[in-house]
Amino acid sequence: MPGKNLSREEARDRAAIIRVESYRVHLDVSAAADPGRPTFRSTTRISFDCAEPGATSFADLLAPEVVSVELNGLALDPAEVFDGARVTLPVLAAHNELTVVAECAYSRTGEGLHRFVDPADGETYLYTHYEPADARRVFANFEQPDLKAPFTFTVTAPAAWDVYANAVHERITDEGAARTWEFAPTRPISTYLTAVVAGPYHVVRDHYTRELPDGTRLEIPLAATCRRSLAPHFDADEILTVTKQGLDFFHQEFDYPYPFGKYDQCFVPEYNIGAMENPGCVTFREEFVFRSKVTEAAYESRANVILHEMAHMWFGDLVTMKWWDDLWLKESFADFMGSYAQIGAGTRYRSAWITFANRRKAWAYRQDQFPTTHPITADIRDLEDAKLNFDGITYAKGASVLKQLVAYVGRDAFFEGARAYFRKHAFGNTVLTDLLDALEETSGRDLRAWSAAWLQTSGVNTLTPELVHDAEGRITELAVRQDGTPLRPHRIAVGLYDLDADGALLRTDRYELDVAGERTVVAAAAGRPVPALVLVNDDDLTYCKVRFDERSLETLRTGLGGLGGLGGLADEAGPDAPGLARALAWSAVWNLTRDGLMPTRDYLDLVLRFAGRESDVGVLQSLHQQAGDALAVYADPARRAEYGTALAECALRELSQATPGSDHQLAWARFLADTAERADHLQLLRGLLDGTGRIDGLTVDQELRWSFWLALASHGRASAEELAAELERDNTAGGRRQRTQCLAALPTPEAKAAAWAAVVDSDELPNALVEAEIAGFNRPGQRELTAPYAAPYFEALETVWAERSIEIAMRIVGGFFPRYQTTPETLAATDAWLSTRPDAAPALRRLVLECRDDLARALRAQECDAQ
């Protein structure tokens, strides 16, 4: 498989003969502030052994120009050995020295070495992002995770800049207008985990100290950085507090000292993902530096990401998967640990498992019902497959299954197995069986059958209660029916709930048991009074979709808002148990709606009646998002306007009744902006913008202003001139993105044509503005304006995939899909493209298949709602 892609077989063959001793990489970015310089000089020296002297292999490099290639003292002609993606290495010796000098390109897409110019002050910032295979955009290497080696980086940068990398710097040499930073060698790590961050970053420093069991003292220098223009908003103290709490927790549980020296956390602009676990130099999207008021859920989310990336220092960096098939060996564990550690580390964020049940699992359930779903341990044929596998299965389903595994083997056995795994495989690469061996050793359980059921098959099971009672209202049999293929073993809790005198649903009984096969009887429930509600998977111990018997579903229709009281069982529940039960019920009714088993009107009625009573602001914000999605694609089109008005009225009512200055007030204000369509609602938003309107306690700060402007722009109530004036008020990177989205959202043919041309017909925009253009273009209330682009979309797909970087291509394919054209005609057009393009790139076909599945699901839900 030639070119930019790399197949699993090629990686396996190369790893069979190549062992890398070390890398020395010098990057000269001293002219990075000059926009006329599209490239930087990269010099790489690789020392490596070859098990088959005389063999031919290759190094990876994506660069516009290779200046020179030298192998074992012999100069090779770049025109002969470099094809744009690979450097051929002929007649290898037992030991080899390779030097490659190249002009590598600065990135606008967040892949490789990304260059960003801050519109607020004109300063230039650089950072790298490589996962899964973009280190080759910055230096020549063997780009696969199982060829680990120590890396020594040297970076020449403008004199006024700071430079960060995986290791501490050992020397800084002044060279007039530039300085050269020399960093210590790293421990052996994979190419995709190396990192360089450079620019005039604002930095806050701290220190972590821990006494180790052997009596030595562990010293870890800490740093947190962001762009200078964001410094007034940078709450580094809170970030570093969570960092220290996490280091305490992971040292306690993993019993393996943090192995990478320092711990820098760099918040960088135009970042494609949430964060990346580069050892010693973690990078985060700078949207985690909050410019305006956000809810507690946003702070909790950031803490989760901080702890997720920290868990990777052990799961992923210290021990790394051999190939991307076992990506879950790091991502599932980090996703699980991000939530687990928030509670275990004693952070102030106590709703971690509620958020996990409500948000992360929703992502997993959606992904696992696509026709393209895959086992947690996936079949990753090549790098394009790997790029698409950073999905809800690898992260959220894998984390859910690990939560089940902890319940299955026991907490102590699980963590002791992890400790043994780290000790045995430190700085190495592993596969599934390596972890199972460690856990079997500590738990005494045979995990092969468990692994086959949970890790090596796909799909989500459904658990439904079946209740039979006698004439006196006593349970004669309570059973749990399992549907789905394959049937799996589950450790679950079944909760029985009844109404008290005040109408609250209190848990009266809880039964924990193993479920296996099609039907499992809850024997201990026999003879108990028939409850108002049976909640299977209470406490969210397993990964499944939950269904209800008819009595329970009817109870939720009238009492969902009061669900969660623990009654006499409070002592045996965790602090989040009341909210968790309610979150599980909300998740279940959302899945019923998505599956076309509950009319959208019934789901929206639950939101209208009970969202205002939701105490957890994270759950509330999820309800807002899901209600918006239900309205946009699942509702009967004939009733869409009616539903939309009802939601906006609900938002306005709850906004006026919310505690002034509260998180709930802010959440309802944003939801009003998302749902406002009527003239009086839009006029209220304009009044809040210009000061003629006021809601007690609501601060209309910059981010909320942009939310209101987007609503007004989408309905033709904002002009380009007004949006330009708002940009002058907020002349920042965030303001530029928001204005771009607002302009693309204007309800005119000209605005849609401009957004389409800027993204599809041109490759000039950086990744952040591509995202903004797409978000503004595809607005749910503008179906007639975007309908003409359905045919051009399908015509452009293969060209986009061939000519753009995979990151930008993925955004275009998913973002411009006509998902709001929820008609049989759009489904037929999608099927026609798929049927006539059997040889299109598999990763491209997967994306289109997933869009097609979402569309077909929407049509089924609309049909259910129309009945």
Side-chain angles (χ1 to χ4, degrees), residues 162 282 362 373 434 514 660:
D162 286 331
V282 183
T373 189
D434 295 315
D514 290 324

Side-chain angles (χ1 to χ4, degrees), residues 686 689 702 704-732 734-748 751 773 776 782:
R686 181 168 283 279
L689 280 170
Q702 191 58 62
L704 195 54
R705 289 182 66 84
W706 281 118
S707 295
F708 293 169
W709 278 119
L710 180 59
L712 293 170
S714 298
H715 294 283
R717 301 297 186 96
S719 67
E721 292 74 20
E722 288 176 313
L723 297 174
E726 190 66 25
L727 181 60
E728 288 185 17
R729 174 192 177 105
D730 181 31
N731 186 23
T732 64
R736 183 173 58 168
R737 291 194 301 271
Q738 298 280 14
R739 175 181 177 251
T740 297
Q741 182 176 352
C742 288
L743 288 173
L746 290 171
T748 65
E773 293 278 11
Q782 299 176 347

Side-chain angles (χ1 to χ4, degrees), residues 600-789:
T600 302
R601 61 182 177 275
D602 288 1
Y603 175 77
L604 293 178
D605 182 63
L606 290 170
V607 172
L608 292 170
R609 297 175 66 187
F610 299 123
R613 297 176 59 182
E614 179 53 56
S615 59
D616 188 285
V617 73
V619 174
L620 176 63
Q621 289 176 292
S622 290
L623 295 178
H624 289 163
Q625 178 183 337
Q626 289 167 356
D629 290 344
L631 176 67
V633 295
Y634 297 153
D636 176 8
R639 294 172 172 158
R640 213 175 265 143
E642 170 193 343
Y643 297 163
T645 298
L647 288 173
E649 290 287 353
C650 173
L652 183 58
R653 180 181 69 252
E654 296 296 340
L655 174 60
S656 65
Q657 295 176 357
T659 302
S662 66
D663 284 0
H664 282 64
Q665 185 187 52
L666 176 59
W668 284 110
R670 289 176 175 167
F671 191 52
L672 178 62
D674 290 339
T675 56
E677 291 188 356
R678 245 174 33 194
D680 56 330
H681 296 151
L682 295 168
Q683 188 56 43
L684 171 61
L685 299 183
R686 181 168 283 279
L688 292 170
L689 280 170
D690 63 25
T692 60
R694 184 175 179 275
I695 295 175
D696 186 29
L698 182 67
T699 300
V700 184
D701 55 26
Q702 191 58 62
E703 290 299 317
L704 195 54
R705 289 182 66 84
W706 281 118
S707 295
F708 293 169
W709 278 119
L710 180 59
L712 293 170
S714 298
H715 294 283
R717 301 297 186 96
S719 67
E721 292 74 20
E722 288 176 313
L723 297 174
E726 190 66 25
L727 181 60
E728 288 185 17
R729 174 192 177 105
D730 181 31
N731 186 23
T732 64
R736 183 173 58 168
R737 291 194 301 271
Q738 298 280 14
R739 175 181 177 251
T740 297
Q741 182 176 352
C742 288
L743 288 173
L746 290 171
T748 65
E750 293 78 11
K752 301 307 169 189
W756 177 272
V759 174
V760 179
D761 298 339
S762 171
D763 193 18
E764 295 302 312
L765 289 181
N767 53 340
L769 294 187
V770 167
E771 186 177 281
E773 293 278 11
I774 292 172
F777 174 92
N778 225 349
R779 303 290 292 172
Q782 299 176 347
R783 291 170 174 83
E784 292 184 3
L785 284 166
T786 55
Y789 291 89

